[in-house]
Amino acid sequence: MQAPHPTLFLHRPPIAALLHQWGEPGAGHHAPPDTATHRALQWSQWLGTVGAIRLSRTLHAIDALSADAQGQSAMPAVHALNAVFESTQAEVMALICAPAVPPKPMRARADNTPVMGTNTESDADFSVQGARFIEAQKQMQTKLGALRVRLRNALTQGPRALRQLAALDAAMDALLSEREQRLWAMTPNQLEKRLAHWHHQHQQTLQPADPLGPRPHRHPPAGWLRRFEQEAQALLTAEMQARLQ
């Protein structure tokens, strides 16, 4: 049996590179690549003793799957499955790239004078700005989870090798999904930090170079909010890529 090609372990997933870059500015380009040993140690921490025993038993059961039985030797309709895959991916991308819904206009003052400018406190509130990200993340999980089950069910109708693959995927899903979902649930925290970062950058631009001089004209913070939205889309896209793998 040949050892896996070393480049398989040198590839850093886009979501890992993105989060690393946000956590340590500039370090994303100079961090040492993941090694096979490092990744093996990380994966081993995902399975406790009970999980390792369950996985071992599952692997033995998968290896013992009988040869192709009657009615199970036909190859799945690859073109149809690929069409389902691409359609679901396109749906998720449309969800990610959907334009942000502008906030409801603020009420006028008591004297009917319209409120000028924007509410910076609301702009910097993650419960407002991050709601769309969290909702998109939930819908992505639902759509891609259903896709995974559909593809897995199709493989169970194929030859022995594909049925083994389906059984292995089901086993790994059962063993790792709980911890995986906890990790995905942490990504909004990272995005909240990015919102605070861009808001702070925007606030800095509003400070006059001369404390005694005139204050700069206050422009709507569309620029920094747009950068935040772009990062939110980048994070969702990276998550989609990881889930599709």
Side-chain angles (χ1 to χ4, degrees):
M1 179 177 178
Q2 293 183 347
H5 195 280
T7 57
L8 292 177
F9 301 103
L10 297 180
H11 173 66
R12 180 181 292 272
I15 192 166
L18 182 63
L19 293 176
H20 185 85
Q21 181 180 0
W22 289 356
E24 298 180 25
H29 301 288
H30 306 289
D34 295 335
T35 63
T37 302
H38 179 64
R39 285 201 172 187
L41 290 175
Q42 287 183 322
W43 290 335
S44 68
Q45 296 172 2
W46 281 48
L47 294 176
T49 303
V50 175
I53 293 175
R54 287 175 56 191
L55 179 59
S56 177
R57 291 176 177 174
T58 300
L59 292 176
H60 284 296
I62 291 173
D63 188 57
L65 281 177
S66 61
D68 300 335
Q70 184 177 3
Q72 289 187 317
S73 59
M75 289 293 294
V78 177
H79 293 295
L81 294 179
N82 189 57
V84 172
F85 180 92
E86 292 182 350
S87 175
T88 304
Q89 184 179 23
E91 289 180 9
V92 175
M93 278 304 304
L95 187 70
I96 292 173
C97 298
V101 178
K104 295 181 180 180
M106 298 178 59
R107 296 171 57 187
R109 295 190 178 93
D111 60 358
N112 293 327
T113 303
V115 178
M116 302 300 293
T118 59
N119 187 340
T120 56
E121 292 185 4
S122 176
D123 293 336
D125 185 353
F126 187 72
S127 64
V128 176
Q129 303 297 340
R132 176 171 164 268
F133 173 89
I134 296 174
E135 178 60 27
Q137 190 181 46
K138 290 179 180 178
Q139 292 190 41
M140 179 196 306
Q141 177 182 342
T142 299
K143 290 179 180 294
L144 298 187
L147 173 65
R148 182 175 185 175
V149 172
R150 182 170 180 176
L151 296 179
R152 184 194 301 156
N153 290 339
L155 295 184
T156 61
Q157 305 303 315
R160 178 173 181 262
L162 294 185
R163 287 185 282 123
Q164 287 179 314
L165 177 60
L168 177 61
D169 181 72
M172 298 303 290
D173 190 19
L175 286 170
L176 304 179
S177 61
E178 183 177 350
R179 175 158 183 170
E180 186 177 320
Q181 294 310 318
R182 288 201 301 267
L183 291 177
W184 289 130
M186 295 171 61
T187 55
N189 297 334
Q190 302 299 321
L191 196 61
E192 184 174 8
K193 295 177 182 178
R194 298 304 295 172
L195 178 66
H197 165 77
W198 287 118
H199 181 253
H200 175 73
Q201 293 288 333
H202 172 67
Q203 292 295 101
Q204 291 294 104
T205 63
L206 300 180
Q207 300 299 325
D210 181 2
L212 300 179
R215 296 191 62 83
H217 179 67
R218 188 177 185 85
H219 293 285
W224 74 272
L225 279 178
R226 179 56 185 159
R227 287 192 290 269
F228 167 76
E229 291 170 3
Q230 290 173 341
E231 289 192 339
Q233 290 180 355
L235 184 57
L236 284 170
T237 302
E239 178 176 338
M240 180 193 70
Q241 293 170 344
R243 287 181 180 273
L244 285 176
Q245 289 179 355

